[in-house]
Amino acid sequence: RKEVEQDPGPFNVPEGATVAFNCTYSNSASQSFFWYRQDCRKEPKLLMSVYSSGNEDGRFTAQLNRASQYISLLIRDSKLSDSATYLCVVTSAGNNRKLIWGLGTSLAVNP
Amino acid sequence: EAGVTQFPSHSVIEKGQTVTLRCDPISGHDNLYWYRRVMGKEIKFLLHFVKESKQDESGMPNNRFLAERTGGTYSTLKVQPAELEDSGVYFCASTGTVNTGELFFGEGSRLTVL
């Protein structure tokens, strides 16, 4: 079983749509959780950290359910510029510095 | 402020040859990481430097890979001899604050081994 699992998609949505991505992780001792964004042939960039209480940044909302080992990302009012791959990332247990990556979920927002 | 820079952006070599990838982290960042993405697979951790010391090299695939960070500034990753399965994108990242999880990545060095 993969340490971090994501639906690879692709998700094709119209502008203005709401889209949700899910991610599960296998190690219950994982400590920190993140969503990174990667544009085609570019480097990954941090989108947002994910906290147990849930957190929001503009049109983006991230949720963490430790009991279910489940992380989500909700994008409201999708823009064309949101088209990218969204990577679910957790830190390895006992080591806050090693990032464990999901395969990524591809999103295409269409006009 | 300059970001993380990597060189070369793309390298095409034949099996058995040697390639050296270079990473210049953001100035002042003590933590430097190497990650690799093989096509169709997840990004995988290779190793972590704190200044010039190897903090964790558990992700290095085998002894054909050698990473150095002399002087605690730039780092090199040498693959010798290269094999077909080494093809992929090698990302370098740096951070000054270890526990935030925000790594600043370079654009990657794409390695193609023929």
Side-chain angles (χ1 to χ4, degrees):
Chain A
R1 183 186 171 189
K2 291 183 180 179
E3 293 181 87
V4 178
E5 297 228 41
Q6 295 182 251
D7 178 350
F11 283 62
N12 285 283
V13 303
E15 268 187 294
T18 295
V19 61
F21 304 139
N22 303 316
C23 166
T24 58
Y25 59 96
S26 61
N27 193 331
S28 60
S30 298
Q31 298 179 22
S32 302
F33 309 89
F34 311 92
W35 284 100
Y36 271 73
R37 171 192 168 133
Q38 186 174 23
D39 293 294
C40 187
R41 290 186 173 265
K42 304 292 282 184
E43 72 275 22
K45 292 183 179 178
L46 180 67
L47 178 66
M48 59 197 302
S49 301
V50 187
Y51 304 114
S52 297
S53 54
N55 49 300
E56 185 174 310
D57 183 2
R59 298 181 292 108
F60 298 83
T61 301
Q63 296 273 358
L64 167 65
N65 184 322
R66 284 187 182 271
S68 303
Q69 296 176 207
Y70 170 94
I71 303 162
S72 66
L73 176 68
L74 183 76
I75 305 176
R76 291 181 299 279
D77 188 23
S78 299
K79 312 290 185 192
L80 296 177
S81 58
D82 293 335
S83 298
T85 296
Y86 291 83
L87 298 152
C88 178
V89 186
V90 309
T91 52
S92 58
N95 184 337
N96 249 355
R97 288 161 281 198
K98 186 187 297 185
L99 302 184
I100 311 297
W101 299 74
L103 195 55
T105 299
S106 176
L107 172 65
V109 181
N110 305 305
Chain B
E1 179 183 336
V4 177
T5 58
Q6 292 188 245
F7 181 85
S9 57
H10 192 186
S11 180
V12 181
I13 61 173
E14 293 188 349
K15 176 182 172 181
Q17 291 186 317
T18 297
V19 64
T20 299
L21 311 177
R22 173 175 169 139
C23 168
D24 287 79
I26 292 172
S27 177
H29 279 188
D30 288 342
N31 294 281
L32 186 151
Y33 306 82
W34 284 98
Y35 283 83
R36 176 174 76 171
R37 184 163 199 168
V38 173
M39 186 178 291
K41 303 280 189 179
E42 301 84 355
I43 295 173
K44 293 284 191 185
F45 169 84
L46 296 178
L47 87 159
H48 169 208
F49 283 101
V50 177
K51 297 185 180 180
E52 68 276 7
S53 300
K54 290 178 185 174
Q55 186 75 12
D56 182 351
E57 54 183 329
S58 60
M60 294 288 262
N62 50 60
N63 59 11
R64 296 185 294 103
F65 290 76
L66 175 65
E68 294 181 322
R69 193 182 182 195
T70 307
T73 53
Y74 72 90
S75 175
T76 58
L77 179 64
K78 182 163 71 173
V79 185
Q80 178 183 33
E83 298 289 344
L84 299 178
E85 64 265 25
D86 300 333
S87 296
V89 182
Y90 290 77
F91 289 105
C92 176
S94 72
T95 183
T97 305
V98 176
N99 293 325
T100 66
E102 180 171 16
L103 301 188
F104 297 89
F105 282 81
E107 292 196 349
S109 291
R110 183 175 297 274
L111 173 64
T112 302
V113 182
L114 303 176

